[in-house]
Amino acid sequence: MKINKYNSLVLAMLFGFGLSSQAQSKQWTLEECVRYALDNNITIKNSELDIKSADIDKKGALGSFLPSVNGSASHSWNIGLNVNPVTNIATTQTTQYSSLGVNAGIDIYKGLQNQNIYRRTKLSIIASQYQLLKMQEDISLNVANAFLEILFNKENLKVKKEQLSIDEKRLARSEEMVNAGTIPRGDLFDLKATAATDKQNIIIAENSLLISKLSLAQLLQLKEFADFDVIDDTNAKDENNILAQSPTDIYNKAKDIRTELKLAQTNLEIAEKNVAIAKGAYQPTLRGFYAFSTSASYSDRLVGVDANNDPIYANPLPVFDQFSNNKGHNFGFQLNVPIFNGFSARNNVERNKVSLEKSKINLEQKSLDLQRNVYTAFTDAKGALNAYESSNVTLEARQQAYNYAKEKYDVGLMNSFDFTQAQTLLTNAQSDVIRTKYDYMFKIKILEFYFGIPIIPIITK
């Protein structure tokens, strides 16, 4: 049975939600639920970090236009026979040597790769923003669906309780009629079974309500949800008169505003930049460079030899004088012309061309999907409205049939089985009204979404 399937979960939740009817401090509106989800959802926070990463990539691409400057310093000890790097004389001694240098370089021309990489990073930021917006829209719809699910379960539980109240009153009335000999005692057993079934249906409805509340609380990622509940907003009206629009008008509006199309278009532009970047490897590159260096030796200087042909050393010049005397500059241009690279550049271009074609197909597919989704959503909303209106007509007829059966049963002209059947049909009609109402409300929300009417205004950070 369904009740057994959820028993363990419900028992674990009783201390959380079970006391909510006695100690509710707040009832959330749909807008509050959506806003809270957008502010606290982990997936959205992760997507916001993707935007920051894309912005860092943009700064890195901008830095490629600037020169690179690096400093260097070293100090070494040479023991034994070695060439003094300053005097360039081979001697057997221990020498110390220090060097300082600065190197700078800048790309003058690189096949426009730096420019295209920078433009691609700007597009990547836009794509990340669209991805975040789409995620916010999807979560908004999920929250709205979960919100309406709670409202449906609330009304369904209310119907079940009202039905139990009616059956208990009918049972008490039937006991009096049995004692008076108006109806047979067998009818009383049917009514007792009906009341017991009503109680079981109430337990199932309560479990469904608790689970739907838990689902929305988890979607909102609430840490404390003991008092969580939503406000009873059961307005099932097309307030924006969206069904007065034609599906073609809705689709034409959606093509201009839907995030998935904008994201696909931006990804197409990124793919075009990737092709341009890859083609830049075919072109020569020109780079300017400059280097400054200086050095100093801490060993004695060889100034000559004596009569015995032994070396004569003198004290070294002061270190700072050596650094000043040993300065050197190196600058110029470096031109690299690609001739053959094992087809790597060509393969990279072809690979990015394939990705470009995929992006074009993806954009076309997204447009087709949007058209199909809009027409489907419009048809579903129309059908949901018709089902809701029909269910209300059916409910009215079932209510009249039940009232008529009740009058016949009260005077003993109908047995309990037939009366129970009339009552069951009425209960089913009431459930159908609730179900079709919330189905209609959600499908109207989806249709409004395609027409650019959000559940709440979404502000991209």
Side-chain angles (χ1 to χ4, degrees), residues 324-340:
S324 178
N325 295 337
N326 297 330
K327 292 184 295 185
H329 301 272
N330 180 30
F331 57 89
F333 299 96
Q334 181 179 358
L335 178 66
N336 291 321
V337 180
I339 298 176
F340 183 75

Side-chain angles (χ1 to χ4, degrees), residues 93-140:
Q93 62 177 335
T94 299
T95 62
Q96 297 185 56
Y97 173 71
S98 295
S99 65
L100 300 174
V102 176
N103 297 281
I106 186 171
D107 290 326
I108 298 175
Y109 183 77
K110 198 179 178 182
L112 300 179
Q113 286 183 318
N114 290 342
Q115 291 86 340
N116 287 322
I117 289 174
Y118 178 69
R119 296 186 185 107
R120 183 186 63 185
T121 58
K122 293 173 67 176
L123 290 171
S124 295
I125 293 177
I126 296 174
S128 297
Q129 291 172 340
Y130 283 144
Q131 186 64 45
L132 172 62
L133 181 58
K134 185 178 184 304
M135 193 175 300
Q136 291 173 329
E137 292 172 346
D138 291 343
I139 289 177
S140 297

Side-chain angles (χ1 to χ4, degrees), residues 380-443:
D380 288 345
K382 277 283 191 180
L385 175 60
N386 292 334
Y388 178 52
E389 292 174 343
S390 297
S391 65
N392 277 284
V393 174
T394 302
L395 176 60
E396 183 178 355
R398 292 299 182 193
Q399 185 66 57
Q400 293 175 353
Y402 171 78
N403 293 338
Y404 179 69
K406 177 177 176 294
E407 292 176 358
K408 292 178 65 178
Y409 180 77
D410 287 342
V411 297
L413 297 178
M414 178 179 286
N415 59 43
S416 62
F417 178 80
D418 291 336
F419 177 71
T420 301
Q421 290 298 310
Q423 189 176 27
T424 300
L425 292 174
L426 173 62
T427 302
N428 292 339
Q430 291 172 328
S431 298
D432 283 342
V433 169
I434 298 173
R435 178 184 56 79
T436 56
K437 177 174 71 172
Y438 286 105
D439 182 58
Y440 167 66
M441 291 174 65
F442 182 65
K443 287 175 178 175

Side-chain angles (χ1 to χ4, degrees), residues 334-349:
Q334 181 179 358
L335 178 66
N336 291 321
V337 180
I339 298 176
F340 183 75
N341 50 28
F343 302 111
S344 62
R346 176 190 172 191
N347 291 338
N348 192 34
V349 170

Side-chain angles (χ1 to χ4, degrees), residues 293-407:
S293 63
T294 184
S295 60
S297 175
Y298 298 88
S299 61
D300 291 339
R301 292 181 297 119
L302 178 66
V303 296
V305 296
D306 58 14
N308 297 322
N309 207 30
D310 293 327
I312 300 173
Y313 296 97
N315 292 330
L317 292 175
V319 172
F320 288 106
D321 289 343
Q322 292 187 63
F323 279 138
S324 178
N325 295 337
N326 297 330
K327 292 184 295 185
H329 301 272
N330 180 30
F331 57 89
F333 299 96
Q334 181 179 358
L335 178 66
N336 291 321
V337 180
I339 298 176
F340 183 75
N341 50 28
F343 302 111
S344 62
R346 176 190 172 191
N347 291 338
N348 192 34
V349 170
E350 294 301 318
R351 188 180 300 110
N352 282 282
K353 283 184 176 179
V354 171
S355 297
L356 176 60
E357 290 302 315
K358 287 183 176 180
S359 297
K360 290 179 180 179
I361 294 174
N362 181 61
L363 176 59
E364 183 179 357
Q365 185 63 53
K366 291 293 184 183
S367 181
L368 293 174
D369 290 344
L370 178 62
Q371 184 179 34
R372 183 182 66 252
N373 292 338
V374 168
Y375 277 81
T376 300
F378 186 86
T379 302
D380 288 345
K382 277 283 191 180
L385 175 60
N386 292 334
Y388 178 52
E389 292 174 343
S390 297
S391 65
N392 277 284
V393 174
T394 302
L395 176 60
E396 183 178 355
R398 292 299 182 193
Q399 185 66 57
Q400 293 175 353
Y402 171 78
N403 293 338
Y404 179 69
K406 177 177 176 294
E407 292 176 358

Side-chain angles (χ1 to χ4, degrees), residues 46-149:
N46 189 59
S47 186
E48 290 172 347
L49 292 178
D50 289 339
I51 295 179
K52 292 183 179 181
S53 295
D55 187 60
I56 294 174
D57 291 339
K58 176 186 173 183
K59 293 177 182 178
L62 184 61
S64 65
F65 293 101
L66 304 176
S68 60
V69 180
N70 298 285
S72 62
S74 67
H75 185 85
S76 62
W77 287 261
N78 297 318
I79 301 174
L81 181 63
N82 54 78
V83 177
N84 191 304
V86 177
T87 63
N88 203 31
I89 298 176
T91 58
T92 302
Q93 62 177 335
T94 299
T95 62
Q96 297 185 56
Y97 173 71
S98 295
S99 65
L100 300 174
V102 176
N103 297 281
I106 186 171
D107 290 326
I108 298 175
Y109 183 77
K110 198 179 178 182
L112 300 179
Q113 286 183 318
N114 290 342
Q115 291 86 340
N116 287 322
I117 289 174
Y118 178 69
R119 296 186 185 107
R120 183 186 63 185
T121 58
K122 293 173 67 176
L123 290 171
S124 295
I125 293 177
I126 296 174
S128 297
Q129 291 172 340
Y130 283 144
Q131 186 64 45
L132 172 62
L133 181 58
K134 185 178 184 304
M135 193 175 300
Q136 291 173 329
E137 292 172 346
D138 291 343
I139 289 177
S140 297
L141 274 181
N142 291 337
V143 170
N145 188 29
F147 187 92
L148 293 177
E149 184 70 17

